[in-house]
Amino acid sequence: MKPTTFYERAEYIRINSDRYLTRYFDRMLLEGGKVQNIYRKVNKRQDEIGGDRYRKYGRFKKDRTFWGHIGVRIKMEGFVICVNKRSVLDLNTTQEELENILKENAYIKLIGVYDDLMGKC
């Protein structure tokens, strides 16, 4: 059965995060942390299971990069990613803003889906 609510999806991510890199990445977002730490953990896990999907930070709307994965999750699944507990990433976030988030090593966390939270941090 496919998860339908955010809470079911969150539990599904937690349970199945060891098998797939994308779910591992989602679990890191769900747990929250500093951007650079999440990036390092995802890349370390990637080294363990193989592949080179998230080696580049990339563009927000381009898949197979660090920011691309987050952008796709926002677009396709309505994820709400909170930055420093005060602002939300959305598809209009500029590349410059993403670079600043990375440079300042901001705290990011998946806090829900848009339908549940209406985009609020």
Side-chain angles (χ1 to χ4, degrees), residues 77-93:
E77 298 189 41
F79 280 11
V80 176
I81 310 287
C82 191
V83 179
N84 285 334
K85 300 179 183 179
R86 65 175 183 261
S87 64
V88 174
L89 288 178
D90 64 22
L91 296 178
N92 295 321
T93 304

Side-chain angles (χ1 to χ4, degrees), residues 90-102:
D90 64 22
L91 296 178
N92 295 321
T93 304
T94 66
Q95 190 66 28
E96 183 179 327
E97 290 171 313
L98 294 174
E99 289 170 8
N100 287 336
I101 290 168
L102 183 67

Side-chain angles (χ1 to χ4, degrees), residues 5 19 33 35 38 40 43 48 51-52 59 68-70 72 78-79 89-91 94 105-107 110 112-113 115-116:
T5 67
R19 294 186 63 197
V35 173
I38 291 173
R40 279 193 285 273
N43 277 302
E48 293 169 3
D52 63 351
R59 301 245 175 236
H69 175 84
I70 295 172
V72 167
F79 280 11
L89 288 178
D90 64 22
L91 296 178
T94 66
N105 199 19
Y107 180 86
L110 167 60
V113 291
D115 292 343
D116 294 340

Side-chain angles (χ1 to χ4, degrees), residues 1-9 113 116:
M1 183 167 88
K2 188 172 180 160
T4 55
T5 67
F6 172 70
Y7 302 103
E8 289 173 352
R9 176 80 174 134
V113 291
D116 294 340

